[in-house]
Amino acid sequence: MTVLAILQARMSSSRLPGKVMADLLGEPMLARQVERLRRCRTLDRLVLATSTEPADDALASLAARIGVDCFRGSLNDVLDRFHAAAAGSGADQIVRLTADCPLADPAVIDRLIGLHLDGGYDYSCNTLTPRWPDGLDAEVMRAEVLEAAWREATLPSEREHVTRFIYTRPERFRLGSLVGDADLSDQRWTVDTPEDLALVRAVYAGLYPANPAFGTDDIVQFLAAHPEIAALNRVHRRNEGLERSLAQDAALTKS
């Protein structure tokens, strides 16, 4: 059994271009996330999947510097890029991670993979029942299921959001769900805006120097003790990017 994690990243974010290379305590945000992911016990290999656009040369260079394999593919057809990054790897299970989550928790990812394998699911994630903070998102799927999505998905939202074809078809695929013990779904730890980045920088400044392996409970306690930091990005909604993709679906259907 081989578990491959694919970390999606690009420089051309619509809301915060270049965010994955933003400074986070002297290192690019992407490098800090990789540092955390390397603490996962269930991952056999990690690959960075970025685009062939010149703007993403910086990501390929960073991957080489920190010793992470890098695959480059389509900018807009993210499903094709993701599938191509997995093709030929020989992996049985594919984990999808995104590079806007510098507070990713290795313990949560390991729990998700354990649930997925123990339950024999086709696809598992921790977002079907949103109780985790936005920014701890992780998904895992059988390689054959990713292959089916790549072959059959046609809608813009399904090509941009890699797993949408899978989790919207519970009648076809066995879906596993890792539900958080406490409801933290109102907390936003992802980075899509300057306010998000300010919160993450404050969390790292407050926790990393004393404990580089800080986890979810540490962050929750820190933000509870510093409500002014927790309030920095409360104006933003969850899944704003997906909402834009669904609008493209609707336009395509009408045309």
Side-chain angles (χ1 to χ4, degrees):
M1 175 68 64
T2 303
V3 180
L4 168 69
I6 299 177
L7 178 60
Q8 292 173 210
R10 62 187 175 99
M11 291 291 284
S12 54
S13 166
S14 59
R15 284 174 285 183
L16 189 60
K19 63 184 180 183
V20 296
M21 292 294 285
D23 181 82
L24 200 50
L25 288 186
E27 282 285 350
M29 188 175 88
L30 178 59
R32 292 297 185 196
Q33 184 170 352
V34 169
E35 179 184 349
R36 294 178 69 80
L37 296 177
R38 282 177 163 154
R39 295 191 177 96
C40 290
R41 299 178 178 178
T42 51
L43 300 180
D44 297 304
R45 186 181 165 208
L46 175 65
V47 172
L48 176 69
T50 191
S51 87
T52 54
E53 295 293 304
D56 289 327
D57 291 350
L59 303 187
S61 296
L62 175 62
R65 177 171 74 81
I66 62 178
V68 174
D69 291 335
C70 182
F71 175 84
R72 305 186 70 171
S74 172
L75 174 64
N76 295 317
D77 190 344
V78 188
L79 175 54
D80 184 71
R81 188 203 318 165
F82 192 88
H83 171 266
S89 68
D92 306 285
Q93 305 289 343
I94 313 297
V95 178
R96 177 177 178 251
L97 303 164
T98 57
D100 52 6
C101 299
L103 297 177
D105 191 332
V108 174
I109 295 169
D110 286 340
R111 280 182 61 188
L112 174 65
I113 293 172
L115 175 144
H116 177 76
L117 296 178
D118 291 345
Y121 294 109
D122 293 319
Y123 164 91
S124 301
C125 71
N126 60 352
T127 56
L128 291 177
T129 302
R131 286 172 63 89
W132 298 96
D134 189 4
L136 293 192
D137 305 2
E139 303 166 280
V140 56
M141 68 213 81
R142 294 193 302 111
E144 296 87 349
V145 172
L146 172 61
E147 179 75 18
W150 174 73
R151 286 196 315 266
E152 301 175 36
T154 57
L155 292 173
S157 65
E158 296 171 343
R159 304 306 299 192
E160 180 181 359
H161 299 274
V162 170
T163 56
R164 182 168 172 76
F165 178 89
I166 302 167
Y167 66 72
T168 57
R169 289 168 171 78
E171 75 287 351
R172 176 174 174 183
F173 302 110
R174 292 193 66 234
L175 307 182
S177 177
L178 179 66
V179 180
D181 301 323
D183 187 358
L184 303 173
S185 58
D186 63 332
Q187 302 207 29
R188 180 180 171 86
W189 300 355
T190 189
V191 176
D192 278 324
T193 68
E195 294 84 5
D196 295 335
L197 182 57
L199 182 144
V200 166
R201 281 174 167 163
V203 169
Y204 264 80
L207 295 177
Y208 185 94
N211 177 21
F214 65 89
T216 296
D217 290 344
D218 299 310
I219 302 170
V220 170
Q221 293 170 16
F222 176 80
L223 292 176
H226 299 86
E228 74 284 1
I229 295 175
L232 285 172
N233 61 355
R234 288 232 171 103
V235 66
H236 300 292
R237 299 189 313 278
R238 197 173 186 123
N239 294 329
E240 290 176 343
L242 178 57
E243 291 174 4
R244 291 196 303 274
S245 292
L246 294 178
Q248 292 178 336
D249 288 356
L252 181 66
T253 303
K254 292 178 182 178
S255 62

